[in-house]
Amino acid sequence: MARLKRNIWKSALPYCAVIPLLGCSSPGTTNRTLRDATIVTAGSRFVFQLPGAAADAPRPTFTPWGFNYDRTVLDGRDVLLEDVLREQPEKIDRDFAAMRRLNGNVVRVFLATGYFLKGPQEIHPEAFAGLDLLLAAARRHDLRLILVGLANIRPADMPAWMRDADDETMDQAEGVFWQAVARHCRGNPAVFAYDLQNEPVIHWVDNDAWIVGCFDMPTGPKFCYCHYHYRRISRRWTAEIHRRFPDEAALRAHWPDYPRPGESWSSIAIPAFENKQDPRFGEYFAFQRPLLANWAARLAGIIRAEDPDHLITVGALNPPAVANVVDFHCFHLYPDPVPAGEDFLQTNARRWQERLSAITDGKPIILEEFYPLWVPAQIAKRDLLRTMLEATSPRATGWVSFYWGEPEIQTGSDPAGRELYAEWLRLWSEFAGGRIPPTS
C-alpha cells in the first residue's frame, strides 16, 4: 500500500505543477481564461476573478507557491535584479523558466528605489522597460509576480538624493514610486500583488540609517533587507506633544520630571527603548504604534487610486501592525535554535503557530519567506518542510521560499551551502502547493 501511495504521488506530480497555478477549474473555464483572470481574496483563500463572470459564479482557488528572487549570480558575482536587467536581461527568462519547472507559480521580485527614481519626483526613463521585461517573462512562464517596492538592498547604490532626503521628501518619493508602478501595471494579469516594502520599521530614535539587517555576500557586497523610516522621529514626537499640550506649564503638570536634562519644549526627550519602566514609555509607544499602519495606508491609497483591482500587502516583521491595511497578511518565518533538551521541530512548530495566531481577521496568510537558514545537522530538511507545512497549513494558504539561480553557479567556498540549496529546491518542488507527500 505504501508503495502504491508513492506511485500515485509521483504520477500526480505533472498535474501538481499545473494545479497550484490554475486552481481547480470549474465547468466553462479554460486555462487561457484563468491566465487572464485577476486574483482576489475570498475569506481566507485566494481565487480567480474570471473576466465577465457572474457575481455568483464559482471561482477556482489559487494557491501561491513560489520563490523570492531577491538576488542571483551573474558571471561569478552576487547581483540584484536591477543588475540583471541592465547587463543580461535574458537571464530573467531563464530563471523564471527554472522556477516554473520547480513547480512555482509566484515570484517575489524586489524593485529598487534607485532604479525607478532618478529623483524624489522623477522616474528613470528605463525603469518601465525593465518592469515590462519582468511582466512579459512572467506571462510566458505562467507565473504571477509579487512586486516588492522601495527596495534598497545594496546600500552602496543609494542615490545621493535619497541619502540627503528628509522624512517629508521620502514620503513624497515613495508616493511617486507607487503611483507610477500601479498606474503602469493596472490590468496586467502577471501581477499577483503589490508588497509595499520588505520589512519596513519605524526608527525609535533619530538615526541616519535607511536600511539595516545586512549580510556580507561572498563576492564582497553588503545586501540589506530591513527598511527604516523617519530618520528624524524626534520631530514627530515633539509635534505630537505640542498637539496634546498647549504649553510647557501644561506639560509640566502632566510630566513632573519635565524638563529632563537636555530636554526643551522644542526638543522633547524620547524614552530609551530598553527602559520600559520609564513613566513616559507607554505614551511614546502609543505614539509609535500607528505610524507604520499610517505609512502603509497612505501608500495603499495611492496604489488603489491607480489600480483598484490588484491585491496589496506588506512584508512586515510584525504583520498585526498593518493588519487593517492589507488585503492579505505576510509572515517571514525561519527555523531558530531551541533551548537545550527541547525538540527542535516541535518547538519551532509551536513558535510558528503562535505567530500566525496573532492574526484573527480571517484574511489569507502567506508565508512570504521560509528557508533552512539554521537547522541542526541531524534534522532532515524533508522533515523540516513537512513540519512547517503541517504547523502552518491550517491557517496559511500560500508559501514562498527562495531561488538564487542554479545551485552550481552559487558563490562562496562552502560546498555544504550549495548542497543544502540544491536539496531544498528539490524538496520545495516536490511539496509544491503545500501538498505533503506520503512518508513511506
Side-chain angles (χ1 to χ4, degrees):
M1 179 61 70
R3 180 176 299 176
L4 177 61
K5 288 170 66 178
R6 285 198 301 272
N7 291 338
I8 291 173
W9 174 257
K10 290 179 180 177
S11 68
L13 277 177
Y15 299 97
C16 292
V18 177
I19 290 172
L21 174 67
L22 299 181
C24 300
S25 299
S26 57
T29 64
T30 66
N31 290 357
R32 179 168 296 279
T33 301
L34 294 178
R35 287 185 73 248
D36 293 338
T38 300
I39 296 168
V40 299
T41 62
S44 62
R45 300 178 301 121
F46 297 101
V47 298
F48 290 94
Q49 183 66 53
L50 303 176
D56 58 349
R59 295 186 293 180
T61 297
F62 177 77
T63 301
W65 182 270
F67 303 90
N68 284 275
Y69 190 57
D70 57 315
R71 59 180 173 85
T72 186
V73 178
L74 198 61
D75 300 329
R77 297 174 290 125
D78 297 295
V79 298
L80 302 176
L81 176 64
E82 54 267 31
D83 302 314
V84 182
L85 288 171
R86 291 185 182 115
E87 299 177 33
Q88 290 188 26
E90 64 275 11
K91 179 174 168 54
I92 300 290
D93 196 78
R94 295 198 304 271
D95 285 348
F96 277 27
M99 286 183 267
R100 191 69 191 93
R101 287 194 300 271
L102 290 166
N103 293 331
N105 60 25
V106 297
V107 180
R108 187 171 180 245
V109 295
F110 293 68
L111 308 181
T113 305
Y115 180 80
F116 273 82
L117 293 183
K118 189 174 183 179
Q121 299 188 52
E122 184 179 1
I123 300 292
H124 268 299
E126 72 271 18
F128 289 126
L131 180 56
D132 285 338
L133 190 150
L134 289 172
L135 295 167
R139 288 284 282 171
R140 277 194 299 275
H141 299 292
D142 288 338
L143 296 166
R144 303 275 179 151
L145 298 181
I146 301 175
L147 299 178
V148 186
L150 305 172
N152 302 295
I153 296 176
R154 188 166 49 206
D157 290 352
M158 187 177 295
W161 71 261
M162 185 174 172
R163 286 196 302 270
D164 300 335
D166 58 25
D167 295 341
E168 291 73 24
T169 299
M170 278 307 301
D171 279 349
Q172 295 172 3
E174 290 166 353
V176 169
F177 175 99
W178 274 120
Q179 182 182 53
V181 171
R183 180 179 295 166
H184 191 79
C185 294
R186 178 171 181 161
N188 194 314
V191 176
F192 170 46
Y194 301 117
D195 187 336
L196 298 183
Q197 192 174 50
N198 188 68
E199 298 179 354
V201 182
I202 304 298
H203 274 299
W204 186 264
V205 296
D206 289 357
N207 191 306
D208 287 337
W210 282 124
I211 184 79
V212 296
C214 302
F215 298 85
D216 290 321
M217 303 306 297
T219 57
K222 185 184 294 290
F223 289 174
C224 308
Y225 292 90
C226 186
H227 296 78
Y228 267 96
H229 293 266
Y230 305 140
R231 296 194 293 181
R232 297 295 172 260
I233 190 67
S234 63
R235 292 192 303 169
R236 292 174 181 264
W237 174 232
T238 296
E240 170 66 8
I241 293 302
H242 290 179
R243 184 189 67 81
R244 292 174 54 197
F245 301 96
D247 51 36
E248 288 189 272
L251 181 58
R252 191 175 295 112
H254 180 69
W255 286 342
D257 65 344
Y258 173 83
R260 291 178 174 178
E263 184 176 31
S264 68
W265 180 245
S266 61
S267 181
I268 303 299
I270 294 175
F273 182 77
E274 299 78 13
N275 186 12
K276 295 179 175 55
Q277 305 306 314
D278 188 323
R280 301 188 189 182
F281 185 92
E283 291 180 68
Y284 187 69
F285 186 80
F287 154 76
Q288 276 260 337
R289 181 180 297 167
L291 293 182
L292 188 62
N294 292 344
W295 168 86
R298 178 177 59 84
L299 294 181
I302 290 171
I303 290 173
R304 289 189 171 111
E306 299 293 340
D307 182 353
D309 297 323
H310 285 123
L311 301 173
I312 297 174
T313 191
V314 180
L317 290 171
N318 179 27
V322 293
N324 293 334
V325 178
V326 300
D327 295 309
F328 64 93
H329 308 287
C330 289
F331 281 79
H332 297 177
L333 301 184
Y334 294 89
D336 288 320
V338 303
E342 291 192 15
D343 183 280
F344 179 83
L345 294 177
Q346 290 182 6
T347 298
N348 272 285
R350 185 182 70 252
R351 291 170 177 172
W352 298 329
Q353 289 172 334
E354 288 173 353
R355 286 203 60 196
L356 296 188
S357 69
I359 296 294
T360 59
D361 59 12
K363 295 178 184 177
I365 290 177
I366 291 181
L367 266 62
E368 197 180 47
E369 293 185 12
F370 188 84
Y371 191 77
L373 282 179
W374 190 94
V375 180
Q378 69 272 20
I379 300 296
K381 306 308 177 289
R382 174 181 293 274
D383 292 340
L384 173 69
L385 183 49
R386 179 184 299 276
T387 298
M388 182 276 287
L389 289 172
E390 290 175 344
T392 61
S393 58
R395 185 63 183 87
T397 53
W399 298 264
V400 185
S401 191
F402 290 86
Y403 184 81
W404 302 308
E406 305 93 323
E408 58 269 19
I409 70 170
Q410 298 306 301
T411 59
S413 58
D414 179 18
R418 289 192 292 274
E419 292 171 5
L420 167 63
Y421 174 57
E423 178 188 8
W424 188 254
L425 290 181
R426 290 193 296 270
L427 289 171
W428 197 254
S429 176
E430 182 181 347
F431 282 67
R435 294 169 173 82
I436 303 174
T439 56
S440 61

